[in-house]
Each structure stands twice: as C-alpha cells, then as structure tokens.
Amino acid sequence: SVAEGPFITGENIDTSSDLMLAQMLQMEFDREYDAQLRREEKKINGDSKVSISFENYRKVHPYDSDSSEDEVDWQDTRHDPYRADKPTTTPRKGFIGKGKDITTKHDEVVCGRKNTARMENFAPEFQVGDGIGMDLKLSNQVFNALKQHAYSEERRSARLHEKKEHSTAEKAVDPKTRLLLYKMVNAGMLETITGCISTGKESVVFHAYGGKSATEDKVIPPECAIKVFKTTLNEFKNRDKYIKDDYRFKDRFSKLNPRKIIRMWAEKEMHNLTRMQNAGIPCPQVVILKKHVLVMSFIGQDQVPAPKLKDVTLSSEDMKKAYYQILNMMQQLYKECNLVHADLSEYNMLWHDGKVWLIDVSQSVEPTHPHGLEFLFRDCRNVSQFFQKGGVAEALNERELFNAVSGLNITAENEVDFQAEIEALEKMNEDHVQNHGKKLSMFSSDGDPPIYDE
C-alpha cells in the first residue's frame, strides 16, 4: 500500500519502513543519473543545429515532482504526441518474432500499414488524409488502384495546365496571344476588338476596328479580321505535308521545333495572300503579322462577315458569274501567283459585293510541290461538283477543269488513269528539282504552264 500511494516528500518523512528508504535512495540515484545525461547532451550538442537526445535512457520516476514538461524537448523524441506512429519496418531477414508469434513481411496488417504510409508519396494535390493516425490498413489491390488514379490525375492536371498556358481554345486565346493583341490596341493599330466571328480546326478569327498606322505609307482598313493560329499541336499532325515539302520553307522546317512551325503557317498565309493581292485576285489584304497572329482586312460590313458560298442562295445568273470568276481566279492563282490553293471549296470562298473572295490560303503550295498537282485536282473536283449541283450547265468536270487551269492537256479516258499520269508528272518534276535545284524549276519565266517532258 505504501508503494502504490503518493511519494513521500520532505514534509512527510517516515523512515520506519525499509521499503520507503529504498525508494527514496533509488529516486535520488535516478535524479543524479538524469542530470548526468543532460550534461552529456549539452556537451555533445553545443550550438549545433542537429541535436541528439538521451531521453529514452532517462530514469525519471513518474512521481518525481522536480521533472516538468519544459525540460522535455518533444520534437527530439520518438513519442511526439502530435505525430502519428509510422509502421515498424520489417528487418532484412523478412520476419519478426518466434514460433507462433512470427510475423512475416507479407502479413496483411503489416502490408496494410505500409501501404497507408506510402500514400504520403503521392502528389501534393492528391489529398490522402491522416491514414496513419487512423491506423488505416490498405490492401495491395486498393493501394495500387489509388496509386494509378493519383498518377492519372497528375498527368491530367499537367495537360490542363499546358493547354491553358500554351494553347488557344475555342473563342478564347492563351495569355501570350492576349498580350500580343493588347499591344496592338495600345499602339493604336487597332481601335477595339469586338469578338470572335469564326472558329476552325487550325485558327480562331476575331473582328476588330482598325486604328491608325505608325507609318504613313500603310493604311489600316476600317474593319479588320484577326486570325489567331491555334498553338496546340493536335490539329497539325496531318497538315505538316503542306509545309515540310514546300520548297520555300523546306530548309527551315527541319530546324524548328513544332511550335515555331505553327508560326510558319501564319507566315505562309501572309506570303500567299501578298502574291494573290499583287495579281489582283479578290482576297483579304494583309495588315501585319506578329508571330502566330495575322491581321487582315475584314471581308464583310458592320461586324457581319460575308457569307460563305455554301450558305448563300444565288440566282442562276449569279451562280454562272461566280463559276467563271472562280475559273479565272484558279488560272490566275496557278499561272501568275504560281500557287495551288490546296483546300479550295465552297467553305473557303466568300460572296461579297457581287463577287467571290478567296480566303484561308495557309496551306497553299507551289505547283512544284511533290503533291501540288494532286492538290489541284482535288480543288478542281470540289469546284466542279459544287457548281454542277448548283445548276451551272457550263461547269466542266474535274479533268476538264484541271487541264483548263494547268494547261497540261492530260488525255486519260478515266479518272484512275488521269490520277496515275498526275503522279507520274509529279515524280518527274520532283526528280528534276532535286537534280537541278529549286531555282531551276520546270516553269518558264513568263508564267506559262509547266513543261514536264525531258
């Protein structure tokens, strides 16, 4: 009963019991031992930022009134009340205990606690909670599923961040593009940007009111169209054939990273529009090019874009007029501009002021392109089918239209043989350019149709 009661203090001394005397002596010895340990700690640690603790070796009795919580550095102990106990590691031999109490590293409880601790290695944004404090035990199947989910979420988050920072979305632009537009407005080149008028696979088009040019020789139209080429690479995987084999850009194509190639698309459209404008073909007028942002004149009026040829209903007389105008433009494009539109259809032709306007020429190539004649034949098929369905009796079929535009006069009786001759001419032309260089192409200087014989 004496041992279980409160320890005797100086005010209540009863030395009649040998047990009490022994306890008092033992407590004094323990105090001296603990004091020696603290002196050793202080001597070893000194002013070092990394300290050691002999707390586990102290003999302080729970009834010792001299010991206080202030003397204990909780952060230096393995019994931190604010830190959950981590699972005990299995020794290298793979098991602990003996006999019936043996526990291997495959024990369900041990594995469950280890899996809970390993969740701390997940990405910071993946909240796992205090599983260790709850003594949560996760099976391997559950842990592997959570790990895969955390990895997938991390990758998805990275993709979303990349898309937000570097890519244009529908009816929106990324921060870098927005900064380019702000600079144009601040410089007075554009008065205001009103909004999006068109979205496509490769670009987003905005309407803007023109401002004043910094130079007197350049006149900015009252209304402008801003074509922002999307900087995401998804839409360009199948369109690099239009530029990597273009002799104007072939030498530069291999030296650029994919995002700079997209800037080259904008540059390519600017050059093609300039050629068409110099030849007098109705098309948007180039105002300025800034990286992947191309500012052009607006085809339309009062923020309303001109309708596409597929969306407008024309009389038979206007339909016939539009057909002959397009035929003339295709010949001009081929002979005077040395270009093939490569995506000509009723979707890329606008009807404005009683005539047809050509747009979207970023993919246009020269006829000496390895697939230039194939692109031309595809354009002829689109134009021929549209106007034949539109009731133009004079509309030529695709083979007749191809010969009328190119002047090659291929005399194949069916489409298969016709395309075979086109491929043979392209192969012959490619060999000629490779042997003699791109400057010695198979075109005469006066702009006549090419001669493909030896």
Side-chain angles (χ1 to χ4, degrees), residues 199-210:
T199 59
K201 293 184 297 183
E202 66 178 30
S203 63
V204 182
V205 182
F206 296 89
H207 174 273
Y209 286 106

Side-chain angles (χ1 to χ4, degrees), residues 353-379:
D353 288 341
K355 59 182 178 180
V356 179
W357 297 67
L358 294 185
I359 60 170
D360 193 10
V361 292
S362 58
Q363 72 289 324
S364 299
V365 298
E366 293 188 347
T368 53
H369 187 280
H371 303 286
L373 296 182
E374 295 178 39
F375 296 154
L376 177 60
F377 185 74
R378 186 176 62 190
D379 290 349

